[in-house]
Amino acid sequence: MKTSKLSIRLLWYITPLVILPLLFLGGFTLTNVTNSTQKQAELIVSRFVEQQQQKMFNYIDSFHSTSKLLSTSPVLSDFLADDMLSNGNYTSQLGDLMDVFASYSEAYPDIISVNLVSPNGKSKAYYSSNLNTPPTDYPFFSRVLQSNLRQQQFMVQKNDGTTSLYFIQRVYSADYYLKRPQQLGFIILHVEPSILNTSILEAPYNNTLNLLLTEDGKILFSSDYNKRGQFISEYELKQIHNLADLGKLSTIELSSIDKIERMIYAVQMSGGYYYVSTIPKALLYQSGKAISLITALIVIISVITLPMLIFIVVRNLLLNPIESLGAASHRVGDGDLSVYLPAHNNDEVGVLFNDFNHMVNQIRHYQDELEEYKHHLEDKVESRTRALETMNSQLESAIAQAEQANQLKSRFLANMSHEIRTPLTAIMGFTEQLLHSKEASSDELHLATILRNSKHLLELINNILDLSKIEAEKLAVEKEPLDIVQLVHDIDSIIRPLSQEKNLKCEINYHLPLPKIINSDTTRLKQILINIASNAVKFTEQGLIKLDITYEPNSQLIEFAIKDSGIGMSEHEVERVFKPFEQADATTTRRFGGTGLGLCISKNLAQLLGGDVYVQSTPGMGSCFNVKIACNLPEESQPPMLTELSQLKPEKDTLLSFASNSFDANILVAEDNPDNQVLITLLLQTWGLDPDIANNGAEAVEMALVNDYQVIIMDMQMPVMGGLEATQMLRHAAYDGPIIALTANVMKHDIDTYLKAGCNEALAKPIDKDALENVLVKYLHIEKDSQNKWDSLLNSEKFQQINENYRSKLPEHLAQVNELYQAGEWEVLRALAHNLKGSAGCFGFSNIHHAAAELEDNLRGRDTDHNRRDYLALSLIEAIKYTINHDALSKKQSHSH
């Protein structure tokens, strides 16, 4: 075969470009493999040692935290107080303290014993998991007395080579009025170091020797058990100290242990201890030598064979196809369109061959089409003209639809503007009257008007949001048991008073038999029926409103037929009645009001519930709306049916009826605010519940582990330990009772955080009586009381007293806010704002509640505009001043009358 010039040039280029880099790479690899091996070993060992150091630090720190938490236990404080006063409760308090020590020993299995020692070293209370007697003395106790540290740790090695950990925590008196707290003794935890033993035995390489040394060179822990208790020389200890400061892998021979030259990495731990990991140097570099030999062999083979292989591969894959493609291109240039390149591999050359064949086919195809266009040009022009006419017709139709949609939007905006402005005008007007009026005689009427218009505005916004969810297919419906009689009773209790106001007759007809229970969405079905029934009342001036309930067993649909004797609708109006934003005509909107959303939403909801809404109407004779809903009855069993008239009275829920006004249950309330403590206690006492109070999370954990509570109400932000941390600790300690989060932070991500931490429910501040009652019913089956019981509570002398006490504290709160704002103590001011947000809302001071909430959000970082914090702080100050002045003015007016 003839060798082309391109092949020769390619060979000249390939040979030096391949051989020279290979020679350079081989030499570089041979000279640097030892250094790379050492760096890799240093990286592996340093990471290993840092991980072990962090693991030991976390282990030791956890027991420091445990000893600190134990030293602040209320039970321990009570025991020491009773012991000092000698009032006869010593035996009872000692038993409670032993229970606390036992709970900590169960939570942390590594704890061998817990000892409460007096300042002179005498054991006052001792608990041991293996029932040992308290030690008479500790070898390190003299060092404890000489040190001023609150927390200390010691490692003590026994004669058998094992080492124990001791954690010492000073205990002080709880009298915070003393300038210097009184020291009452020490808490000494004796711990079996399981994690330290495990960490020492772990190794990144074989034959690795791990050591834990004291500051005087004694080996406390060793992966070689025989070396425990030995000492290394002072010179070797100094070298290890220098290596710990440098933080790098270095070569040292530890003659005190063996004569092997080792690579050593050391770190210094708290308390003067050293963690050392050593690897025999010969073992470390053994793999590097093997890599060097293999690398040299690979380089030699590559220098000989690689250029030849590259040339052969390039020749077959590239040069030969290029020559074939050049020859074919030359033939096409001569006008030969019968050229066809053979199929090639599925690579770039194959794609090039296919593209060349496709190009030749397209040339032939275009030549044929050109001939065809010459004969059929007039036909194609006529066809294109007809297509353009069709497109223009479609465009005109689209323009007409767009204009109609624009008119519909304008009509909807005008209607919404009227509907929104009407209740807003009443709300703003009567609110202004309440603010400027000095007489309270008409306050109740004004407030009722504001409430009525606010509900109307809320209903309007809910309708718009429901329609948006329906159109976006984001509205979900539930399937839950629904009592038909109770449902109709609820509808009747709403519609009958509306009918009586217009002197209309209201009838309800049950066509038996009917299923007693169906499975559907109670809220959405009520929304449909109330909407249609209220429309029947609105569009009826005289006559009756009738509701017929029928069951279709074949299709398992239940039908609600709502008939009225009102104005009725024509066929054209019936076609438009279920469209959004439309009513029968413009005069209907002006005469009766409304947005035109209700029936559209009702029809869509009925379809989501497995049914539909139909209407039959005659102008001047009235309308009949038929609502059909799927019953979703179970197929495997016969559902209970309503067959007698005596069954058509709604049953009273036994769980919601009062058998008595008290309930025997233990409840723990964790709340740091004294006013909120009194308020929550007063609320619970209305149901016959007398709760226990914890002032912070630490107390709540202690009390929950000692006592048996059916429900824990936990404030999320408290001093010493927050509610979130306390909840997590209780769940880790196997407390499985319900925990109710009480918080002023009601954002979704906050609620999700509380539930994830282990809370069962979340209640918002200010406290909602109905929400609290529902939670108690859910977890304690407490019977609901009537609304009069709640009203009597708010009007009771005790509630008025705590409300008055809170009012009296407002000047003090005002001074604190002013002082913190002037001093720039933003973190303390944030905590005070959170406290005010919850307490002010509970006692009805909404202006202080909202101002404190906005300031807290800004200082917490949720509001990114930091320039607003001065404005928000001044707003809170003004809100408190306004409440104080308004309260003083009200008292002055009451005295004048």
Side-chain angles (χ1 to χ4, degrees):
M1 183 180 64
K2 183 181 178 180
T3 304
S4 64
K5 295 180 180 180
L6 183 60
S7 300
I8 297 174
R9 293 177 62 188
L10 184 63
L11 186 60
W12 277 105
Y13 282 117
I14 288 176
T15 301
L17 290 176
V18 172
I19 292 176
L20 293 178
L22 284 175
L23 292 176
F24 176 77
L25 179 61
F28 180 79
T29 303
L30 291 174
T31 56
N32 290 279
V33 65
T34 302
N35 187 34
S36 299
T37 304
Q38 182 175 356
K39 289 184 178 179
Q40 181 182 10
E42 181 176 355
L43 179 61
I44 294 175
V45 174
S46 63
R47 287 183 177 176
F48 167 76
V49 173
E50 290 173 358
Q51 291 174 357
Q52 301 304 101
Q53 178 192 20
Q54 185 64 35
K55 186 186 298 184
M56 294 179 183
F57 173 78
N58 293 339
Y59 181 74
I60 293 173
D61 187 63
S62 66
F63 283 103
H64 275 308
S65 301
T66 302
S67 62
K68 182 178 179 181
L69 180 62
L70 184 58
S71 67
T72 60
S73 170
V75 178
L76 178 61
S77 300
D78 294 341
F79 174 78
L80 293 174
D82 287 343
D83 185 37
M84 293 172 60
L85 298 176
S86 301
N87 59 2
N89 293 331
Y90 177 80
T91 302
S92 174
Q93 296 293 337
L94 179 59
D96 293 340
L97 186 59
M98 289 296 102
D99 291 339
V100 173
F101 286 173
S103 65
Y104 276 86
S105 179
E106 292 175 0
Y108 301 94
D110 284 353
I111 297 179
I112 298 176
S113 66
V114 182
N115 195 3
L116 173 62
V117 180
S118 64
N120 59 6
K122 181 180 179 181
S123 176
K124 302 182 67 176
Y126 179 77
Y127 175 83
S128 173
S129 59
N130 53 14
L131 304 180
N132 289 339
T133 58
T136 57
D137 189 17
Y138 292 98
F140 50 79
F141 196 75
S142 59
R143 296 169 61 187
V144 173
L145 297 177
Q146 294 172 2
S147 174
N148 292 326
L149 297 177
R150 289 198 174 198
Q151 290 183 335
Q152 298 181 65
Q153 68 187 48
F154 295 95
M155 297 185 184
V156 179
Q157 192 171 51
K158 302 178 183 177
N159 296 330
D160 58 359
T162 60
T163 302
S164 296
L165 294 180
Y166 292 89
F167 295 89
I168 295 87
Q169 172 71 39
R170 295 178 182 268
V171 181
Y172 292 94
S173 63
D175 190 355
Y176 298 105
Y177 296 100
L178 296 177
K179 294 183 178 180
R180 185 173 183 180
Q182 179 184 358
Q183 180 177 332
L184 301 180
F186 304 90
I187 290 292
I188 300 179
L189 294 182
H190 180 196
V191 177
E192 179 67 28
S194 60
I195 297 297
L196 298 186
N197 288 323
T198 304
S199 300
I200 287 294
L201 294 177
E202 295 177 356
Y205 293 101
N206 294 330
N207 298 326
T208 300
L209 178 62
N210 297 326
L211 304 173
L212 183 63
L213 307 176
T214 63
E215 58 186 359
D216 56 356
K218 185 178 182 180
I219 301 176
L220 293 179
F221 295 91
S222 173
S223 56
D224 185 353
Y225 189 82
N226 296 325
K227 292 181 174 53
R228 297 191 179 188
Q230 297 182 15
F231 285 85
I232 64 174
S233 65
E234 183 177 354
Y235 172 74
E236 293 170 346
L237 183 62
K238 184 176 181 181
Q239 285 185 303
I240 291 175
H241 176 73
N242 294 333
L243 285 179
D245 294 337
L246 294 175
K248 60 185 294 186
L249 194 66
S250 182
T251 303
I252 296 179
E253 180 178 326
L254 298 178
S255 301
S256 302
I257 298 178
D258 52 30
K259 300 295 183 180
I260 301 176
E261 190 176 17
R262 296 178 176 271
M263 301 296 291
I264 295 180
Y265 191 93
V267 293
Q268 185 172 5
M269 302 176 60
S270 61
Y273 300 100
Y274 293 92
Y275 183 88
V276 180
S277 182
T278 72
I279 308 169
K281 187 174 182 180
L283 175 65
L284 183 63
Y285 291 151
Q286 184 178 0
S287 59
K289 293 179 181 179
I291 294 174
S292 300
L293 294 176
I294 294 173
T295 303
L297 182 60
I298 292 174
V299 170
I300 294 173
I301 296 174
S302 300
V303 167
I304 297 174
T305 61
L306 195 57
M308 298 177 62
L309 292 175
I310 292 177
F311 176 77
I312 295 172
V313 170
V314 171
R315 175 70 186 175
N316 293 330
L317 294 181
L318 186 60
L319 297 180
N320 291 338
I322 289 177
E323 292 176 357
S324 300
L325 183 61
S329 300
H330 184 73
R331 291 176 59 186
V332 172
D334 293 339
D336 184 7
L337 297 181
S338 63
V339 176
Y340 180 80
L341 292 175
H344 201 268
N345 296 330
N346 294 327
D347 52 11
E348 286 77 3
V349 176
V351 173
L352 185 61
F353 276 25
N354 293 333
D355 290 343
F356 180 84
N357 293 332
H358 179 69
M359 179 189 69
V360 176
N361 292 331
Q362 288 295 101
I363 292 174
R364 289 197 299 265
H365 177 69
Y366 288 149
Q367 286 182 347
D368 295 340
E369 283 191 347
L370 183 59
E371 294 295 329
E372 184 180 358
Y373 283 150
K374 290 180 181 178
H375 294 89
H376 301 287
L377 182 59
E378 292 182 358
D379 294 340
K380 289 185 177 293
V381 171
E382 184 180 356
S383 176
R384 181 59 58 88
T385 302
R386 288 196 298 268
L388 290 175
E389 290 176 352
T390 303
M391 187 179 298
N392 288 335
S393 176
Q394 293 175 352
L395 182 60
E396 291 176 357
S397 176
I399 293 174
Q401 292 178 0
E403 291 178 351
Q404 182 179 4
N406 188 40
Q407 293 176 359
L408 185 62
K409 181 195 71 174
S410 301
R411 188 191 312 165
F412 167 68
L413 291 177
N415 200 8
M416 288 303 99
S417 175
H418 172 75
E419 289 294 327
I420 292 175
R421 288 174 181 273
T422 298
L424 278 180
T425 301
I427 293 172
M428 294 170 63
F430 282 106
T431 303
E432 186 177 5
Q433 288 295 322
L434 288 173
L435 291 175
H436 293 87
S437 175
K438 298 185 186 259
E439 296 183 0
S441 58
S442 61
D443 284 359
E444 183 176 353
L445 178 61
H446 291 174
L447 289 173
T449 304
I450 292 173
L451 179 61
R452 184 175 65 255
N453 284 277
S454 300
K455 290 182 177 179
H456 175 68
L457 188 60
L458 178 62
E459 180 182 0
L460 174 64
I461 296 173
N462 286 336
N463 284 339
I464 297 174
L465 292 177
D466 282 346
L467 184 64
S468 300
K469 291 180 180 179
I470 291 172
E471 292 182 346
E473 298 182 356
K474 294 293 183 65
L475 186 65
V477 294
E478 304 288 341
K479 286 186 180 180
E480 55 187 11
L482 187 157
D483 191 319
I484 292 296
V485 176
Q486 186 63 47
L487 172 69
V488 176
H489 176 74
D490 294 342
I491 302 299
D492 181 56
S493 64
I494 297 174
I495 299 304
R496 189 173 295 275
L498 299 178
S499 303
Q500 292 174 351
E501 290 180 0
K502 300 182 69 173
N503 295 322
L504 300 177
K505 185 178 180 182
C506 185
E507 294 182 2
I508 296 179
N509 300 318
Y510 294 89
H511 297 274
L512 303 177
L514 292 171
K516 178 177 176 57
I517 302 294
I518 67 172
N519 292 291
S520 187
D521 193 317
T522 307
T523 302
R524 295 305 180 183
L525 182 54
K526 279 186 180 180
Q527 182 178 352
I528 296 171
L529 297 178
I530 292 175
N531 191 2
I532 296 177
S534 61
N535 278 348
V537 175
K538 180 169 67 173
F539 292 107
T540 303
E541 298 297 333
Q542 58 182 357
L544 59 81
I545 306 297
K546 184 167 66 172
L547 172 60
D548 292 282
I549 303 97
T550 309
Y551 174 59
E552 301 176 3
N554 294 330
S555 59
Q556 286 199 353
L557 294 176
I558 188 167
E559 179 180 354
F560 300 87
I562 302 173
K563 187 175 182 180
D564 64 72
S565 59
I567 61 176
M569 294 178 288
S570 64
E571 292 183 3
H572 177 66
E573 292 169 343
V574 168
E575 293 176 356
R576 301 170 51 198
V577 74
F578 291 115
K579 294 182 179 180
F581 316 123
E582 294 194 16
Q583 291 187 334
D585 52 34
T587 58
T588 302
T589 303
R590 291 192 297 270
R591 180 180 176 188
F592 296 99
T595 64
L597 296 176
L599 290 177
C600 175
I601 294 174
S602 298
K603 187 175 183 67
N604 282 277
L605 289 177
Q607 292 172 350
L608 289 174
L609 295 178
D612 208 340
V613 179
Y614 310 93
V615 60
Q616 297 176 350
S617 183
T618 303
M621 300 295 293
S623 304
C624 180
F625 285 82
N626 298 85
V627 181
K628 293 186 177 182
I629 300 297
C631 296
N632 299 313
L633 300 176
E635 298 179 358
E636 61 275 5
S637 60
Q638 180 66 28
M641 303 293 289
L642 299 171
T643 57
E644 299 179 1
L645 295 178
S646 59
Q647 298 176 289
L648 301 181
K649 293 183 180 180
E651 298 179 0
K652 195 170 184 181
D653 193 344
T654 56
L655 292 179
L656 302 180
S657 61
F658 260 94
S660 61
N661 289 328
S662 63
F663 194 88
D664 186 12
N666 294 329
I667 294 182
L668 175 63
V669 176
E671 169 64 57
D672 61 308
N673 187 284
D675 298 318
N676 287 346
Q677 291 178 356
V678 177
L679 178 60
I680 296 174
T681 301
L682 187 59
L683 291 177
L684 294 176
Q685 286 176 348
T686 61
W687 292 293
L689 300 170
D690 192 7
D692 294 339
I693 302 296
N695 296 304
N696 53 62
E699 291 186 11
V701 172
E702 294 292 340
M703 297 172 70
L705 292 177
V706 174
N707 300 309
D708 183 19
Y709 294 108
Q710 280 72 45
V711 171
I712 298 178
I713 300 176
M714 184 80 71
D715 186 20
M716 287 294 105
Q717 289 197 358
M718 294 181 291
V720 182
M721 179 186 290
L724 191 64
E725 184 181 357
T727 300
Q728 293 173 337
M729 185 171 291
L730 285 174
R731 292 309 187 197
H732 291 161
Y735 177 81
D736 58 354
I739 300 178
I740 311 303
L742 188 62
T743 176
N745 300 326
V746 293
M747 300 298 290
K748 186 178 184 302
H749 64 273
D750 293 322
I751 300 300
D752 293 341
T753 301
Y754 305 147
L755 298 180
K756 186 177 180 181
C759 295
N760 300 84
E761 302 278 351
L763 295 179
K765 290 183 178 180
I767 301 171
D768 187 347
K769 167 254 180 185
D770 292 329
L772 177 61
E773 187 177 17
N774 290 335
V775 168
L776 296 178
V777 169
K778 180 176 181 180
Y779 292 103
L780 297 180
H781 304 297
I782 294 183
E783 298 80 2
K784 293 185 64 177
D785 202 351
S786 63
Q787 186 62 30
N788 294 331
K789 196 172 187 67
W790 171 253
D791 295 335
S792 63
L793 168 65
L794 296 180
N795 297 323
S796 65
E797 181 179 353
K798 189 171 184 180
F799 182 84
Q800 296 298 330
Q801 181 181 358
I802 64 173
N803 189 287
E804 186 63 29
N805 291 338
Y806 184 81
R807 290 174 182 268
S808 65
K809 294 178 181 178
L810 287 178
E812 180 182 349
H813 294 324
L814 176 62
Q816 291 177 349
V817 174
N818 261 318
E819 181 181 353
L820 294 175
Y821 168 65
Q822 296 296 335
E825 297 288 343
W826 301 111
E827 184 61 27
V828 182
L829 182 57
R830 182 195 63 77
L832 180 58
H834 174 81
N835 196 342
L836 288 174
K837 177 177 69 173
S839 59
C842 292
F843 290 100
F845 302 114
S846 58
N847 56 340
I848 300 178
H849 170 77
H850 293 301
E854 291 184 358
L855 178 59
E856 183 196 12
D857 287 341
N858 181 276
L859 296 180
R860 188 185 292 272
R862 294 175 180 168
D863 190 343
T864 57
D865 188 1
H866 294 288
N867 295 326
R868 295 185 66 241
R869 67 183 181 185
D870 292 331
Y871 166 76
L872 295 176
L874 294 174
S875 298
L876 178 58
I877 292 173
E878 292 301 321
I880 300 175
K881 286 182 179 179
Y882 172 81
T883 303
I884 295 174
N885 296 334
H886 182 74
D887 186 43
L889 181 61
S890 300
K891 291 181 178 179
K892 184 177 179 180
Q893 291 179 351
S894 62
H895 288 311
S896 62
H897 288 296

